[in-house]
């Protein structure tokens, strides 16, 4: 099955995945600012790993064979790049409209005529957000067609093999690069730390400072903490929750999409509920293990390579 993820991108270069590793189109190992080497990519950029496929920048469409079977196509601002263009170049491909960027620079949901046309012309439409997510209601306004849920896949085995550590009773206070998504995380982390006498750790990593080591440094900063406090009030995807579930850390707080599946008992902004839940997790070791195991099980059920790949194949049938 020959697969390509196609979008506009200003930082990530086109790459081909071979045996689970990314390479430039001319065969050199490829990594970018939010990857670990050429094996662990995050979120949207993981789809090609499901099929040993391609990621293609829109400007590189002429650099691959014409016999693709499946294309996931995300485009919200390049008017010249259309589904009709793809059909002409890849006549046998089943084309799925996908979503890469959800928000504009002003913080509003990104809605454009270009995205609407892609939704209209593709063979199917997918969203990385679960059906209950309120953001999907906004995207549904662009079309009367079904939005298929295709979560962003997670390389669970790599994370388990390289970053699963024994846990200390401690808190990591996650700081998002966007202040409105960090919200009151630090305040809540301090409150929980003081209440339960837990040490608090915080390390902000940024690819503009740490370069290609950013993701590795980030995960190493919290992978031995039992808790990660992340009070992000938005209904965004929730990559931190998926990382936590793979590494055995318990996510505390927030409204992110993945939280409701991986950590339903801590999926809230209500500090009193969080205090009760944290106390129970600390004092009841059996309950703690249940929380961690349930998160891991749901991660495999929903976000694993095998699960997400099957969802894509089911759409094409």
């Amino acid at each position: 099955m020959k697969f390509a993820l196609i979008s506009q991108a200003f930082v990530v270069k086109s790459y081909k995945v071979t045996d689970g590793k990314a390479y430039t189109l001319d065969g050199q190992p490829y990594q970018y600012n939010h990857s670990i080497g050429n094996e662990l990519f995050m979120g949207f950029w993981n789809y090609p790993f499901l099929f040993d496929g391609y990621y293609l920048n829109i400007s590189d469409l002429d650099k691959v064979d014409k016999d693709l079977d499946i294309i996931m196509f995300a485009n919200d601002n390049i008017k010249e790049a259309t589904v009709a263009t793809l059909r002409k170049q890849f006549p046998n491909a089943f084309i799925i409209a996908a979503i890469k960027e959800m928000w504009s620079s002003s913080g509003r949901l990104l809605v454009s005529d270009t995205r609407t046309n892609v939704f209209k012309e593709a063979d199917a439409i997918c969203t990385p957000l679960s059906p209950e997510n309120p953001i999907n209601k906004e995207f549904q306004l662009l079309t009367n067609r079904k939005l298929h849920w295709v979560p962003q896949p997670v390389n669970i085995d790599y994370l388990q093999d390289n970053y699963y550590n024994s846990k200390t009773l401690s808190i990591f206070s996650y700081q998002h690069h966007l202040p409105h998504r960090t919200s009151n995380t630090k305040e809540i982390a301090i409150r929980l730390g003081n209440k339960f006498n837990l040490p608090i750790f915080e390390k902000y990593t940024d690819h503009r400072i740490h370069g290609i080591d950013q993701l590795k440094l980030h995960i190493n900063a919290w992978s031995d903490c039992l808790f990660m406090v992340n009070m992000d009030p938005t209904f965004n995807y929730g990559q931190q929750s998926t990382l936590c579930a793979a590494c055995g850390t318990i996510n505390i707080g927030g409204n992110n999409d993945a939280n409701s599946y991986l950590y339903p008992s801590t999926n809230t902004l209500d500090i009193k509920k969080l205090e009760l839940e944290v106390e129970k997790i600390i004092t009841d070791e059996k309950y703690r293990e249940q929380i961690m195991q349930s998160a891991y099980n749901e991660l495999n059920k929903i976000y694993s390579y095998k699960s997400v790949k099957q969802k894509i194949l089911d759409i094409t049938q």
Side-chain angles (χ1 to χ4, degrees):
M1 189 69 68
K2 295 183 179 180
F3 172 93
L5 174 68
I6 299 174
S7 78
Q8 80 285 4
F10 305 105
V11 176
V12 178
K13 298 179 180 179
S14 296
Y15 55 87
K16 169 73 170 73
V17 179
T18 302
D19 296 330
K21 297 181 180 181
Y23 298 88
T24 60
L25 297 185
D26 61 1
Q28 300 303 309
Y30 178 67
Q31 65 183 115
Y32 73 108
N33 290 336
H34 298 293
S35 72
I36 297 179
N38 65 339
E39 292 184 72
L40 183 71
F41 281 36
M42 290 293 292
F44 177 84
W45 309 109
N46 250 341
Y47 290 117
F49 285 78
L50 306 180
F51 297 88
D52 265 8
Y54 291 97
Y55 165 69
L56 296 174
N57 201 305
I58 286 171
S59 60
D60 289 333
L61 299 185
D62 60 344
K63 296 181 180 180
V64 298
D65 294 336
K66 306 299 182 184
D67 56 347
L68 294 176
D69 299 302
I70 302 174
I71 292 173
M72 287 181 67
F73 181 42
N75 181 22
D76 48 63
N77 59 22
I78 300 180
K79 295 180 180 179
E80 297 77 16
T82 65
V83 171
T85 302
L86 296 183
R87 292 199 192 284
K88 189 175 295 184
Q89 291 195 250
F90 308 104
N92 300 319
F94 188 96
I95 300 175
I96 305 171
I99 297 170
K100 175 178 170 284
E101 304 293 344
M102 289 194 293
W103 306 101
S104 68
S105 57
S106 65
R108 295 183 178 182
L109 197 68
L110 188 55
V111 176
S112 67
D113 291 340
T114 301
R115 173 171 280 170
T116 301
N117 289 333
V118 172
F119 278 16
K120 180 180 179 181
E121 297 170 1
D123 296 307
I125 308 168
C126 72
T127 168
L129 302 173
S130 64
E132 298 81 12
N133 193 302
I135 297 175
N136 274 337
K137 295 180 181 179
E138 300 296 323
F139 286 126
Q140 191 69 70
L141 295 176
L142 303 180
T143 179
N144 58 6
R145 303 170 66 192
K146 179 179 179 179
L147 299 181
H148 295 270
W149 183 24
V150 180
Q152 294 176 349
V154 178
N155 191 339
I156 301 171
D157 290 342
Y158 184 93
L159 289 164
Q160 281 267 304
D161 291 344
N162 292 278
Y163 294 100
Y164 190 95
N165 298 323
S166 58
K167 305 303 172 190
T168 63
L169 280 173
S170 57
I171 293 172
F172 182 80
S173 176
Y174 175 66
Q175 303 300 300
H176 198 281
H177 71 279
L178 296 175
H180 76 277
R181 294 189 62 181
T182 295
S183 186
N184 61 340
T185 292
K186 188 169 186 176
E187 172 190 334
I188 299 304
I190 292 172
R191 175 167 170 169
L192 292 171
N194 289 340
K195 184 176 180 67
F196 299 108
N197 195 29
L198 302 179
I200 303 166
F201 299 94
E202 178 181 312
K203 182 180 179 65
Y204 177 73
T205 58
D206 189 319
H207 69 88
R208 291 166 294 187
I209 302 170
H210 301 100
I212 59 174
D213 291 328
Q214 183 269 332
L215 183 58
K216 179 168 60 176
L217 291 171
H218 170 63
I219 299 176
N220 279 331
W222 55 261
S223 59
D224 61 351
C225 295
L226 179 61
F227 299 112
M228 176 188 286
V229 175
N230 178 12
M231 299 297 288
D232 183 354
T234 73
F235 293 95
N236 280 282
Y237 179 73
Q239 287 184 353
Q240 293 307 314
S241 288
T242 62
L243 288 175
C244 284
C247 297
T249 292
I250 299 173
N251 183 84
I252 301 296
N255 282 333
N256 290 170
D257 194 61
N259 298 16
S260 59
Y261 294 91
L262 303 178
Y263 300 101
S265 65
T266 63
N267 179 36
T268 180
L269 300 178
D270 187 324
I271 181 57
K272 293 190 180 300
K273 290 182 179 179
L274 292 176
E275 286 178 336
L276 291 173
E277 188 66 13
V278 168
E279 182 175 21
K280 186 173 182 180
I281 293 169
I282 292 173
T283 57
D284 188 336
E285 188 171 347
K286 184 177 180 180
Y287 181 68
R288 182 192 315 165
E289 293 297 325
Q290 289 175 350
I291 295 286
M292 297 164 72
Q293 188 62 52
S294 176
Y296 181 72
N297 291 345
E298 289 300 300
L299 183 73
N300 277 277
K301 177 182 176 182
I302 299 171
Y303 303 98
S304 68
Y305 279 10
K306 179 180 178 181
S307 174
V308 178
K309 181 178 181 178
Q310 190 59 53
K311 285 179 180 291
I312 294 172
L313 293 174
D314 288 345
I315 293 173
T316 67
Q317 302 306 310

